[in-house]
Amino acid sequence: MYSRMEAAWSVFPYGMVEFLLRSVYDDFDEWPISDTSLRDVAQPRFLHDRDEEAGWESGTNPWE
């Protein structure tokens, strides 16, 4: 992962899939990315952007 603030790369001892799973399940000792919106999400899930858009267009919040 590249840190723009430090202009340096970080290497993790696992692959991208495990990194993404750890991000979704907040399974890091120290949060590795600047975006904290995924932290402490009670029920993490994936929602395709087309499904999200369809939910908003139908007048419902697709994330609830």
Side-chain angles (χ1 to χ4, degrees), residues 9-30:
W9 286 94
S10 296
V11 178
F12 296 91
Y14 37 78
M16 184 58 140
V17 171
E18 185 171 348
F19 180 85
L20 293 173
L21 285 172
R22 286 173 175 250
S23 298
V24 169
Y25 291 110
D26 195 5
D27 189 23
F28 288 104
D29 293 332
E30 183 178 328

Side-chain angles (χ1 to χ4, degrees), residues 14-61:
Y14 37 78
M16 184 58 140
V17 171
E18 185 171 348
F19 180 85
L20 293 173
L21 285 172
R22 286 173 175 250
S23 298
V24 169
Y25 291 110
D26 195 5
D27 189 23
F28 288 104
D29 293 332
E30 183 178 328
W31 192 248
I33 55 179
S34 59
D35 181 2
T36 59
S37 64
L38 291 175
R39 298 212 69 184
D40 301 321
V41 175
Q43 295 180 329
R45 64 189 177 113
F46 173 80
L47 185 62
H48 193 281
D49 60 346
R50 287 179 291 198
D51 297 327
E52 180 183 17
E53 185 177 336
W56 291 120
E57 288 177 357
S58 72
T60 61
N61 182 344

